[in-house]
Amino acid sequence: MAAYLIRRLLLMVPTIFGIMLVSFVVVQFAPGGPVEQVIAKLSGADTGATSRISGSPGGDFGARGMVRGGAQADAINSKYRGAQGLDPEFIKSLEKQFGFDKPAYERFFLMLWNYARFDFGKSYFRDVSVLQLIKEKLPVSISLGIWMTLMTYLISIPLGIRKAVEDGSRFDVWTSGVIIVGYAIPGFLFAILLIILFAGGSFFDWFPLRGLFSDNWAELTWWQKIGDYFWHLVLPITSMALSAFATMTLLTKNSFLDEIRKQYVLTARAKGCTRTQVLYGHVFRNAMLIVIAGFPGAFVHAFFTGSLLIETIFSLDGLGLLGFESVLNRDYPVVFATLFIFSLVGLVVNLISDLTYTLVDPRIDFETREV
């Protein structure tokens, strides 16, 4: 096991390097970088996400913004769209501030060196460290990830077990139909439906439309705060858990069906064991192996992905919305830092998932498995 752990840990280094290299190369060819964003803001041509950038790194550009032209100005104009009439020295100062005065390869390796020391720098446009931004958004993403995963497991596992025991029955057929329909409905579309039905859209006004807390949060008692918190979570969690609920239910059912049909189950029944003894004394541990081992991965998936549209619809300022706005604004420190952190966490969680297999079933030996 020790040799396997070392191999997996060493493999993380080239994996992260490859992820960051491919992403960095792609970004170099993407139009509308941070310099162009500032130029667009100064010229009044910014729209959409760029209009949310507060302030600009250029400072007072009025006195030095216009130039007569010349070879240097023509070179600047050909490099940056919308730079006509701006002082080339001002453009150079922007490039230096954003780090674009260095060659691409130098910027890439400098970024990797800083990330290896967990130095993620500051956001280009928010004047705050990337780690501070992530820290501010974590509560929302943690709330969505934890409660969606717990709700999915608490409902899907009992339902999947019953579907396996009653395989082919009327209950199994109609629940499978509901699950398939639920899986086919996009989460964001279901969120809009819930808003129309239960958040004051056209029918009932039972749940709040946005945020995780009410406006009078500070005035509530501790038990009222708990109720208010879960009250705000009902609709977004339900929307996010729809597809995960279907997947986990069918996974549990198929895992139990596979174990129920094995020889040791027939032997246990021949010895006089009741159905409950066979199911929970023999089948449960083996069938739950894949389900339990997949818990870390399921949590990370809920934590880092699939929440962007839900966060936007319910006005939840979490990591998904942060990443989306950072990409639109070309806020590269936030984009690459979140990519690095999420990739690292994903690799670590995959390793934890493998180790969970050995905890659930000690017969599994990774020493004989190729990485």
Side-chain angles (χ1 to χ4, degrees):
M1 179 59 69
Y4 173 76
L5 286 176
I6 294 174
R7 291 198 304 268
R8 285 293 299 270
L9 291 173
L10 291 177
L11 188 61
M12 291 181 185
V13 177
T15 302
I16 292 182
F17 179 85
I19 293 173
M20 300 303 296
L21 177 61
V22 171
S23 302
F24 187 85
V25 171
V26 170
V27 163
Q28 303 311 303
F29 295 97
V35 176
E36 289 92 332
Q37 298 281 2
V38 175
I39 292 175
K41 184 174 180 63
L42 299 182
S43 62
D46 61 324
T47 58
T50 59
S51 64
R52 290 192 290 270
I53 300 174
S54 56
S56 66
D60 183 11
F61 60 93
R64 55 181 177 174
M66 305 302 294
V67 296
R68 299 190 186 97
Q72 188 179 27
D74 292 339
I76 292 293
N77 293 341
S78 63
K79 185 176 181 181
Y80 299 111
R81 178 182 299 178
Q84 291 82 359
L86 293 179
D87 188 346
E89 294 300 323
F90 171 62
I91 301 298
K92 285 185 176 181
S93 68
L94 286 180
E95 291 180 332
K96 183 176 181 180
Q97 181 164 343
F98 290 128
F100 288 96
D101 57 330
K102 302 181 180 66
Y105 71 89
E106 185 176 340
R107 287 186 278 118
F108 175 70
F109 286 106
L110 178 61
M111 178 184 69
L112 290 184
W113 170 247
N114 290 333
Y115 286 6
R117 297 178 291 122
F118 291 93
D119 178 11
F120 300 108
K122 286 188 175 182
S123 166
Y124 281 160
F125 303 110
R126 307 191 190 208
D127 196 27
V128 64
S129 69
V130 175
L131 286 179
Q132 181 63 32
L133 274 177
I134 295 176
K135 182 180 178 181
E136 292 174 358
K137 314 301 181 182
L138 271 179
V140 173
S141 296
I142 289 177
S143 297
L144 296 177
I146 288 180
W147 297 117
M148 192 203 89
T149 305
L150 289 178
M151 188 181 78
T152 301
Y153 270 72
L154 290 176
I155 296 177
S156 298
I157 292 177
L159 179 59
I161 294 175
R162 183 175 176 184
K163 284 175 63 63
V165 173
E166 302 182 19
D167 182 42
S169 66
R170 180 178 298 178
F171 172 82
D172 180 46
V173 172
W174 76 261
T175 52
S176 294
V178 173
I179 289 172
I180 292 174
V181 171
Y183 184 78
I185 299 176
F188 73 91
L189 189 61
F190 190 62
I192 295 175
L193 175 63
L194 291 179
I195 290 175
I196 294 175
L197 292 178
F198 303 113
S202 300
F203 296 90
F204 306 101
D205 190 9
W206 292 349
F207 297 99
L209 181 59
R210 61 182 61 203
L212 281 181
F213 311 105
S214 298
D215 294 335
N216 62 336
W217 170 263
E219 303 172 2
L220 301 177
T221 61
W222 66 269
W223 57 271
Q224 288 176 327
K225 289 181 177 179
I226 294 176
D228 182 77
Y229 168 73
F230 284 106
W231 182 46
H232 283 75
L233 279 177
V234 170
L235 296 187
I237 292 298
T238 304
S239 305
M240 290 181 61
L242 192 63
S243 60
F245 163 77
T247 303
M248 184 57 61
T249 300
L250 295 179
L251 177 64
T252 303
K253 175 192 173 182
N254 293 333
S255 179
F256 270 80
L257 278 178
D258 184 58
E259 292 296 326
I260 289 174
R261 293 165 180 168
K262 290 184 177 180
Q263 184 63 40
Y264 74 89
V265 175
L266 297 177
T267 303
R269 288 175 176 172
K271 290 182 178 180
C273 295
T274 64
R275 188 176 75 168
T276 302
Q277 290 174 332
V278 172
L279 187 62
Y280 295 101
H282 298 275
V283 175
F284 186 83
R285 177 172 178 173
N286 294 328
M288 288 299 295
L289 174 62
I290 188 173
V291 178
I292 296 176
F295 181 84
F299 172 71
V300 170
H301 175 77
F303 186 72
F304 290 131
T305 63
S307 60
L308 168 59
L309 293 176
I310 301 300
E311 289 180 7
T312 303
I313 292 173
F314 291 99
S315 300
L316 302 174
D317 194 9
L319 292 175
L321 191 58
L322 172 66
F324 176 69
E325 291 186 345
S326 299
V327 170
L328 290 182
N329 293 334
R330 303 299 193 268
D331 198 346
Y332 293 153
V334 179
V335 172
F336 286 119
T338 52
L339 176 64
F340 177 84
I341 294 173
F342 293 173
S343 300
L344 181 61
V345 171
L347 291 172
V348 172
V349 168
N350 285 335
L351 179 58
I352 293 175
S353 297
D354 285 346
L355 298 179
T356 307
Y357 279 103
T358 63
L359 295 178
V360 177
D361 190 348
R363 297 171 298 175
I364 296 179
D365 184 13
F366 286 105
E367 292 291 349
T368 58
R369 171 183 167 183
E370 295 292 333
V371 179

